[in-house]
């Protein structure tokens, strides 16, 4: 049959790989959006990690760890209360409307994997859409290709957004800082009064290793 011939020539491999990537992307989306991003539990007291202990040495002794005024838990360093999730989140990065969840200590690495996979899918989809386009200056051509043309434009827009988001996150990760710390450095006591510009930075290699591994 035609299907067997296509399989013998390897013509089905690329569609199967593409569908598998899309499926993995969807599963990752639900995983990242539904998992606990690192909520600080009421029964947990703010433990001090090795990284935080190093930072405390650089911070004046009068800077104390604060208790959240909303959920009344003692916040670990780098945690922040999210008004939308109604919880304090460990190593809070931002609340992402795309996944309708916070990006924090637990799901930040998976969020980066999700963005990377999504970028691959978009680039592949953009290539497929572009290969199906052949341009002619006529209304008849536009009428028959309008859906494919709009799809390609949307894919390009989403690709740019995802690429910029992924690059900005990778840059911040390489510096061992979060989006919240980067945007609100002047309002965070343990950063504002630190002797170092970024007391969490341990070098690009170690920062990436600690984050992903």
């Amino acid at each position: 049959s035609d299907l067997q011939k296509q399989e013998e020539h390897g013509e089905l491999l690329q569609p199967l790989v593409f569908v598998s990537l899309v499926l993995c992307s969807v599963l990752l989306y639900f995983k990242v959006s539904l998992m606990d991003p690192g909520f600080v539990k009421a029964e947990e007291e703010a433990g001090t990690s090795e990284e935080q202990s190093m930072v405390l040495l650089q911070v004046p002794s009068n800077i104390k760890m604060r208790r959240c005024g909303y959920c009344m838990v003692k916040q670990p360093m780098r945690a922040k209360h999210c008004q939308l999730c109604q919880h304090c989140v460990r190593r809070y990065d931002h609340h992402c409307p795309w996944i309708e969840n916070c990006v924090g200590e637990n799901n930040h690495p998976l969020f980066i994997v999700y963005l990377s996979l999504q970028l691959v899918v978009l680039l592949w989809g953009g290539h497929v859409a572009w290969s199906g386009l052949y341009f002619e200056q006529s209304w008849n051509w536009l009428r028959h290709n309008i859906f494919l043309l709009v799809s390609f434009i949307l894919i390009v827009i989403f690709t740019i957004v995802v690429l910029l988001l992924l690059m900005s996150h990778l840059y911040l990760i390489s510096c061992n800082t979060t989006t919240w710390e980067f945007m609100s450095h002047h309002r965070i006591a343990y950063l504002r009064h630190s002797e170092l510009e970024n007391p969490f930075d341990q070098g690009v290699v170690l920062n990436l290793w600690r984050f992903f591994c």
Side-chain angles (χ1 to χ4, degrees):
S1 65
D2 292 339
L3 191 62
Q4 288 177 327
K5 291 179 180 178
Q6 288 177 338
E7 185 178 3
E8 289 173 359
H9 289 88
E11 295 176 6
L12 295 180
L13 181 60
Q14 286 192 0
L16 286 175
V17 173
F18 181 76
V19 171
S20 298
L21 288 175
V22 172
L23 180 60
C24 289
S25 176
V26 172
L27 292 175
L28 268 175
Y29 171 83
F30 284 109
K31 175 68 175 175
V32 174
S33 62
L34 296 176
M35 73 183 294
D36 178 355
F39 294 136
V40 180
K41 304 298 190 298
E43 63 272 13
E44 296 176 351
E45 285 301 316
T48 304
S49 65
E50 178 186 349
E51 178 186 56
Q52 294 173 357
S53 299
M54 294 171 59
V55 176
L56 287 172
L57 296 175
Q58 310 291 337
V59 175
S61 57
N62 62 331
I63 303 299
K64 304 296 183 183
M65 295 298 100
R66 62 189 293 270
R67 190 170 290 276
C68 178
Y70 296 97
C71 50
M72 300 309 295
V73 298
K74 190 176 180 182
Q75 285 184 338
M77 190 178 288
R78 313 191 80 178
K80 182 183 181 296
H81 184 86
C82 175
Q83 297 281 9
L84 296 173
C85 292
Q86 294 297 309
H87 284 286
C88 286
V89 180
R90 293 180 181 274
R91 202 180 184 280
Y92 175 86
D93 189 87
H94 71 288
H95 184 93
C96 180
W98 196 342
I99 62 173
E100 295 185 2
N101 194 12
C102 281
V103 176
E105 184 177 74
N106 290 349
N107 64 348
H108 200 171
L110 273 181
F111 181 72
I112 298 301
V113 175
Y114 165 70
L115 286 180
S116 303
L117 188 57
Q118 193 68 46
L119 182 61
V120 172
V121 171
L122 286 168
L123 288 172
W124 195 335
H127 171 72
V128 171
W130 177 258
S131 64
L133 285 172
Y134 58 96
F135 294 97
E136 294 180 4
Q137 293 183 353
S138 67
W139 285 110
N140 187 52
W141 175 89
L142 184 61
R143 185 165 56 86
H144 286 90
N145 292 272
I146 185 66
F147 178 75
L148 189 59
L149 184 61
V150 170
S151 299
F152 176 74
I153 293 172
L154 287 175
I155 289 174
V156 169
I157 293 172
F158 284 127
T159 300
I160 293 172
V161 171
V162 173
L163 179 61
L164 292 176
L165 189 60
L166 180 60
M167 289 176 61
S168 65
H169 272 278
L170 289 176
Y171 169 75
L172 293 176
I173 291 166
S174 68
C175 300
N176 197 0
T177 190
T178 64
T179 303
W180 172 58
E181 290 170 343
F182 181 78
M183 300 295 293
S184 306
H185 189 281
H186 60 288
R187 295 194 290 120
I188 302 173
Y190 59 81
L191 293 180
R192 188 172 68 247
H193 297 288
S194 172
E195 297 175 3
L196 302 174
E197 177 69 21
N198 179 11
F200 299 107
D201 189 6
Q202 297 178 296
V204 174
V205 175
L206 190 55
N207 290 339
L208 293 172
W209 174 264
R210 284 182 177 273
F211 181 84
F212 287 107
C213 306

